[in-house]
Amino acid sequence: MDTITFAYQKKRSEFGKQCMFSDKGPDLIDNYPSNPKLIRNYILKDPIGRATQCAPVQAEHYLNTTRAEYSNAIMNHIEGGWPKDVNTADEEQTKRYRRKVEKDEAFHHTVMQLCRNMENCILQNNAINIYQQYFSDVEPTPLVERSSARTVNVYQDQSTPTRPVTHISWSPDNQTKLAVSHCNLTFQAVVPNQTNYSYIWEVENPNLPLHTLRPEHPIVCLEYNQKDPNSLVSGMFNGQVAVWDMRKGHEPVELSVIENSYRDPVHNVLWINSKSGTEFFGSSTDGQVKWWDTRKLSEPTETLIIDLSKEEQTMANALGASCLEYEPTIPTRFMVGTEQGKVISCNRKGKTPQEKMVGKFSAHYGPVLALQRNPAFLKNFLTVGDWTARIWSEDCKESSIMWTSFHKALLTDGAWSPTRLSVFFTTRSDGILDVWDILQQQKQACLGVKVCDEALRCIRTHDAGRLVAVGNQKGTTYLVEFSENLSMSNKNDKMLLTAMFERESKREKILEARNREIRLKLKARSGVALVEEPTQEAAEGEEEPGEEIPVDAFFDSSVKQAEAEFYLCIEAETAPPPEEFPEEPEMIAEIDEEPVEPPPPEPPVEPAPPKKEKKGKEKGGKKKKK
Amino acid sequence: MSNEVEETMKRIQSHKGVVGTIVVNSEGIPIKTTLDNTTTVQYAGLISSLADKARSVVRDLDPSNDLTFLRIRSKKHEIMVAPDKEFILIVVQSPTD
C-alpha cells in the first residue's frame, strides 16, 4: 500500500463549534501484517559502517591585501654632491667652488687639527710596524682542553630476557652501522624464552635495529667484511661459523659443517686480507685456529692447534684461545691470546706447528681478553686480561714494557684509539670506561667514564677516533663520544711515543739480558758445586732460621765466614719483628722460597749476587739498588 | 692662512711612504688632493661612506662615543682617515718594512 488515508466527515453546521473531547480507546484503523516473503529481497548486513563527523562548521575564504610595491633602482654615483648650480663638467666652475670652500674659516681649523692627528700616525707607521706579527714562525701551542666524554646513543637489546653483548663490529661504509652480537656465555645456562637474535643497528637510529639476525644458535662474535658492507661472518655458540648477507634475509647464507667446526664457542673471527676477499679465520676456547673460505664452509682450509708441546699436536694439550689478532698490513702473521694467559705470536707460513708458533709471551694471570697492535707502531701491542692492561714489544719476550697497576675491578676489553696514537681504552667490570693516555700520565687513566652500572663487556673504536661503542652485561650498547684532545694527535706525538716505547723496550732488554746472564752463571755454578746449591737453598729460608745446617760442604774459608755472618744476621733480625733482609743473599726466583722468612724474595728481575765471595761488595751494591 | 694649510699638507705629503693626501667635504666633494682625479674621486666616494658607517657603528654601540680615527691596513697600503663634522682627511701610506 503506498499511502494511508483516513477521512473524517464534519457537518458544515458544526464548523466552529467548540470541541468536546472525550476519552476514547485506541481504535484499530488498519493492520498491515509483515510479509516474510519480502525478506528474500534483502541481505542482512552486519555491521554497517556509518561516518559521522562532529566538528565546528568552518568556511574558507581567500583575500588578497594590497601589497607594498617594490622596485629595484640603481644609481651610479661617480662624483660627490656638487650643488645644483655647479656644472660638474666645467672645470672652471668646479675650481671656483673648491677655492671658495678653501677660503672658509672652518676649513682651516679643521684641516690643521686633522693634519696634526694624521701626522702622528704617519710617523708612528714609519717608526715601527705596529701590525707586525710576532712569533709567526712558532706554532700556536695546542689549547689545553679538558678531556670529556658523553654518551651519544644507547642501543638496547631488543629481546627479553636480555643477554650480554659479546662483540661489536662497525660496518665498512663510513661506519654508519653497528653489528652487535648477544650471547649468554654462561655454561649450560638455561634461561627460558631466551632468543638467539643479534642485531645490526644504524648509528642514527637507536630505536629500532636495522636488521635482525636469527641464527639457530646464539652468535658469539660477528665481524663485517671490510671490503663488502653487506657481508658478515659470525662464530656461533656451538662452534660453527656462519656467513651472512644483509640483503638475503635473517638466516645465514651458509653454515659450516658441525663435524669440521670447533668444539667450543667460537670467540673470535677475523677476515683475512686475501685476493678473493672471502677468507677468514677464527679461534675458539677448544684450542683450535681454523682458516675458512666463505665459498666452501664444509671444511676449513687449514687448522692449527695451539699446543705448545714439542711433540705431536693434540687437542688434549691445547691451550684455549680467547683472543685473536690480525693486522691486515702484515698478512702472514697473527697473534693468539690464550685462556691460560699466554700470548702466542704466530706465522701462518711456518711449515711445522713449532715454526708456526713463533713467539710466546706470558701475559696475564687469567685469559687474555683483548689483544691489539698499536695502529702506528705495529711492533707494540696491547693486551688486557685479569686486572691489568699491558703494553708489549715484540722484541721483549719476558715481560711487558709498560703496564697499568692492578685495578679493583676486572678488566674486560681494551682497544687502541685509531687516531690518537698514545691513547687506549679499557673497559671494566664495574661499568667504567677508562681512557689512558700514556703521553700524559702512565700511572692512572686520564679519564674514567662511568657508562653504566653493569659490567662492560666489549669495546670497539670508530675509525674516526671520536666515537667508541661499548657493550655491557645487560645487552645495552652505548655510543660514547670523546672530546677533541683525546681523539686528535699532535705532530710531536709520534716522535714522543717512539721514544717512550724505545726507552721502555731498552729497559726490558737490559733486564732480560741481565737475567740471562744470571741464569747462565747459575747453571755454570751448579755444574761446579752441586752441593753448595742445596745448602744455599736451605740457608735461604726454606727451613726456619737458626736451624742446624750441615756446613761441611763449604771448603772455602771465606764462604764459611760469610755463612757465619749470615746466620748471625738471621738470628739478629728474627728476634725483632722481621723487616727487609738486605744482608740476605738473594736467589733468583727459580728456587722456590716459602715465605717463612719475611719478606718473600724480590721479583725475578732483581739481579742476584753472582758469587759468595763478592758478598760484601754485593751487599753494598744491592743496598744501592734498593 | 691658506699658506699654513698648504704648508702642512705639503709636509704630510713629504713624509716617508705617503702616497697621497685628500681632503673631502661632507658632501663627498674632494677639495684638496695630491692624487689624480679618478683615484681621488674613487677614494672620496668610498672612504666617505665607510667613515660614515664606522661612525654610526661607534655611536650605536655607545651614543656618548664618537669616531676619532680610522685605519685600514691592507697588504699594499694603509689608508688613514681622520674624520670631522665637516671634512675628512684621507692619507694613503705604504708601510716602510
Side-chain angles (χ1 to χ4, degrees):
Chain A
M1 286 233 150
D2 289 331
T3 54
I4 302 170
T5 54
F6 174 69
Y8 71 97
Q9 292 164 329
K10 201 169 175 182
K11 277 195 184 155
R12 188 178 270 259
S13 55
E14 285 173 17
F15 282 4
K17 225 183 186 177
Q18 187 192 6
C19 293
M20 303 295 280
F21 290 110
S22 59
D23 284 326
K24 198 172 166 198
D27 215 358
L28 183 64
I29 299 173
D30 207 343
N31 183 21
Y32 304 103
S34 61
N35 188 356
K37 296 207 189 84
L38 287 174
I39 195 125
R40 270 185 262 131
N41 297 337
Y42 295 90
I43 307 171
L44 184 63
K45 189 170 168 191
D46 185 4
I48 298 179
R50 282 275 183 276
T52 60
Q53 180 166 330
C54 184
V57 177
Q58 292 174 327
E60 196 180 332
H61 296 285
Y62 294 95
L63 183 64
N64 203 7
T65 56
T66 50
R67 295 172 10 238
E69 294 279 336
Y70 294 106
S71 66
N72 268 340
I74 321 169
M75 191 166 82
N76 190 12
H77 193 179
I78 301 177
E79 233 191 272
W82 292 100
K84 263 209 285 219
D85 51 350
V86 174
N87 183 2
T88 329
D90 190 0
E91 212 177 297
E92 258 305 313
Q93 290 191 0
T94 52
K95 247 206 235 163
R96 214 184 309 152
Y97 185 78
R98 281 202 180 98
R99 248 176 272 151
K100 192 172 69 175
V101 174
E102 280 177 35
K103 297 256 166 47
D104 192 8
E105 178 74 27
F107 182 76
H108 184 255
H109 280 292
T110 323
V111 174
M112 293 309 291
Q113 181 66 28
L114 295 177
C115 283
R116 215 171 301 147
N117 286 346
M118 186 61 74
E119 216 167 341
N120 242 342
C121 288
I122 294 175
L123 292 170
Q124 192 182 51
N125 264 352
N126 284 336
I128 183 171
N129 180 0
I130 65 174
Y131 296 106
Q132 185 187 3
Q133 184 84 326
Y134 301 110
F135 311 120
S136 55
D137 52 347
V138 178
E139 257 189 44
T141 48
L143 292 167
V144 179
E145 195 190 335
R146 290 197 73 221
S147 325
S148 64
R150 62 187 191 103
T151 311
V152 176
N153 260 339
V154 177
Y155 307 93
Q156 310 261 7
D157 185 359
Q158 296 290 302
S159 48
T160 46
T162 58
R163 302 136 308 151
V165 174
T166 51
H167 202 84
I168 301 178
S169 169
W170 288 93
S171 69
D173 55 354
N174 272 336
Q175 314 201 307
T176 50
K177 297 201 261 288
L178 203 55
V180 181
S181 65
H182 297 262
C183 175
N184 192 347
L185 283 173
T186 326
F187 184 64
Q188 293 188 342
V190 177
V191 180
N193 294 335
Q194 199 170 57
T195 58
N196 297 333
Y197 296 171
S198 291
Y199 305 99
I200 294 181
W201 298 85
E202 215 162 65
V203 171
E204 308 289 316
N205 181 8
N207 301 315
L208 207 59
L210 180 65
H211 195 81
T212 312
L213 301 175
R214 303 200 185 122
E216 292 245 330
H217 302 271
I219 298 178
V220 179
C221 59
L222 190 53
E223 274 292 327
Y224 260 104
N225 186 350
Q226 291 303 316
K227 301 207 178 108
D228 178 5
N230 282 315
S231 88
L232 300 107
V233 73
S234 72
M236 331 288 267
F237 191 55
N238 67 340
Q240 285 177 301
V241 288
V243 178
W244 302 79
D245 191 324
M246 289 250 292
R247 300 164 288 205
K248 292 206 184 136
H250 304 278
E251 305 289 317
V253 170
E254 211 181 322
L255 267 176
S256 65
V257 171
I258 194 156
E259 288 84 7
N260 293 331
S261 310
Y262 304 84
R263 297 186 201 169
D264 260 357
V266 185
H267 280 274
N268 287 88
V269 267
L270 284 175
W271 288 92
I272 291 185
N273 216 7
S274 70
K275 287 202 202 88
S276 57
T278 55
E279 289 187 25
F280 64 94
F281 71 130
S283 72
S284 144
T285 39
D286 65 356
Q288 293 181 35
V289 178
K290 291 183 193 264
W291 281 264
W292 305 82
D293 189 323
T294 54
R295 295 166 292 197
K296 186 173 158 220
L297 278 184
S298 51
E299 59 169 12
T301 50
E302 205 182 320
T303 308
L304 172 67
I305 300 179
I306 313 283
D307 179 0
L308 287 177
S309 60
K310 303 247 183 320
E311 303 93 29
E312 186 69 28
Q313 306 257 302
T314 53
M315 287 289 286
N317 297 338
L319 306 168
S322 56
C323 205
L324 204 57
E325 187 276 338
Y326 176 74
E327 177 70 34
T329 49
I330 324 174
T332 54
R333 312 263 316 267
F334 65 97
M335 291 205 286
V336 179
T338 61
E339 271 189 320
Q340 285 71 17
K342 286 203 170 52
V343 171
I344 302 174
S345 154
C346 308
N347 188 341
R348 198 177 162 189
K349 290 268 182 284
K351 299 204 181 52
T352 67
Q354 277 74 27
E355 259 179 56
K356 287 203 177 164
M357 295 188 280
V358 171
K360 302 167 191 60
F361 304 85
S362 291
H364 288 279
Y365 297 118
V368 178
L369 293 171
L371 182 55
Q372 194 188 4
R373 291 185 196 258
N374 188 324
F377 298 92
L378 292 174
K379 281 203 145 194
N380 296 305
F381 57 94
L382 169 76
T383 60
V384 171
D386 58 57
W387 297 270
T388 57
R390 288 168 185 269
I391 300 178
W392 301 76
S393 161
E394 274 189 352
D395 308 325
C396 305
K397 304 254 179 207
E398 286 203 6
S399 94
S400 52
I401 60 175
M402 294 173 73
W403 58 92
T404 67
S405 55
F406 282 84
H407 292 94
K408 295 213 182 93
L410 281 169
L411 291 184
T412 50
D413 203 356
W416 289 101
S417 160
T419 46
R420 194 167 155 100
L421 310 167
S422 55
V423 166
F424 65 90
F425 307 99
T426 52
T427 54
R428 303 209 324 223
S429 53
D430 55 0
I432 297 186
L433 168 66
D434 274 330
V435 182
W436 295 79
D437 186 351
I438 46 186
L439 283 178
Q440 284 186 25
Q441 31 170 289
Q442 290 97 30
K443 277 204 192 280
Q444 43 170 233
C446 100
L447 179 66
V449 185
K450 177 117 190 183
V451 176
C452 60
D453 287 326
E454 292 84 32
L456 290 176
R457 287 294 309 278
C458 64
I459 183 173
R460 200 62 186 260
T461 51
H462 190 256
D463 274 348
R466 277 194 84 157
L467 294 172
V468 144
V470 276
N472 76 353
Q473 191 71 17
K474 279 208 98 179
T476 322
T477 311
Y478 297 86
L479 196 61
V480 182
E481 185 182 9
F482 293 101
S483 55
E484 278 284 318
N485 64 338
L486 289 172
S487 44
M488 295 297 136
S489 242
N490 297 324
K491 280 199 208 151
N492 296 336
D493 277 358
K494 185 136 188 184
M495 217 166 53
L496 292 168
L497 254 186
T498 323
M500 181 183 279
F501 282 147
E502 265 178 36
R503 181 185 75 215
E504 299 297 326
S505 325
K506 203 162 129 192
R507 173 179 62 89
E508 283 302 320
K509 279 193 206 148
I510 292 174
L511 289 171
E512 234 177 281
R514 188 92 176 87
N515 267 344
R516 225 175 299 144
E517 251 180 58
I518 292 158
R519 264 183 292 209
L520 277 170
K521 281 203 184 120
L522 198 65
K523 263 195 220 158
R525 255 197 313 154
S526 68
V528 167
L530 268 168
V531 191
E532 272 191 31
E533 274 264 292
T535 50
Q536 255 187 6
E537 267 183 63
E540 216 20 41
E542 279 178 355
E543 293 135 48
E544 269 152 275
E547 232 190 58
E548 271 279 67
I549 288 154
V551 186
D552 310 305
F554 294 125
F555 307 117
D556 203 351
S557 60
S558 55
V559 172
K560 272 195 203 161
Q561 189 200 30
E563 220 201 357
E565 268 179 60
F566 170 67
Y567 282 121
L568 273 172
C569 297
I570 290 181
E571 276 149 40
E573 300 230 20
T574 45
E579 289 171 313
E580 264 194 49
F581 274 52
E583 318 306 318
E584 194 182 297
E586 277 149 14
M587 301 296 284
I588 42 184
E590 279 179 12
I591 302 161
D592 261 353
E593 298 202 3
E594 284 148 47
V596 174
E597 262 175 357
E602 314 249 346
V605 295
E606 187 85 11
K611 283 188 192 153
K612 276 226 157 189
E613 285 93 38
K614 290 196 195 146
K615 184 178 168 194
K617 191 166 143 205
E618 212 54 48
K619 260 193 257 177
K622 260 187 271 108
K623 274 199 191 131
K624 264 193 242 135
K625 277 190 194 103
K626 289 217 178 111
Chain B
M1 205 170 70
S2 60
N3 276 353
E4 262 187 60
V5 173
E6 291 282 343
E7 259 180 51
T8 321
M9 295 216 40
K10 264 206 209 84
R11 197 176 65 233
I12 286 187
Q13 183 64 28
S14 64
H15 278 304
K16 195 159 86 142
V18 173
V19 175
T21 321
I22 308 170
V23 178
V24 184
N25 82 341
S26 52
E27 274 146 28
I29 307 170
I31 306 293
K32 260 199 144 346
T33 174
T34 60
L35 301 165
D36 58 279
N37 201 20
T38 21
T39 325
T40 307
V41 165
Q42 253 191 319
Y43 268 103
L46 296 166
I47 302 287
S48 308
S49 47
L50 184 62
D52 277 342
K53 185 70 173 180
R55 174 184 275 127
S56 67
V57 164
V58 172
R59 287 186 70 89
D60 277 350
L61 291 172
D62 180 3
S64 60
N65 209 353
D66 196 8
L67 181 69
T68 49
F69 205 83
L70 182 62
R71 255 172 153 168
I72 303 157
R73 194 173 179 91
S74 71
K75 275 196 251 186
K76 295 192 185 156
H77 319 288
E78 181 164 356
I79 305 168
M80 291 173 280
V81 181
D84 185 73
K85 266 204 316 258
E86 286 250 354
F87 300 96
I88 298 181
L89 172 64
I90 305 167
V91 171
V92 182
Q93 186 187 24
S94 293
T96 53
D97 50 28

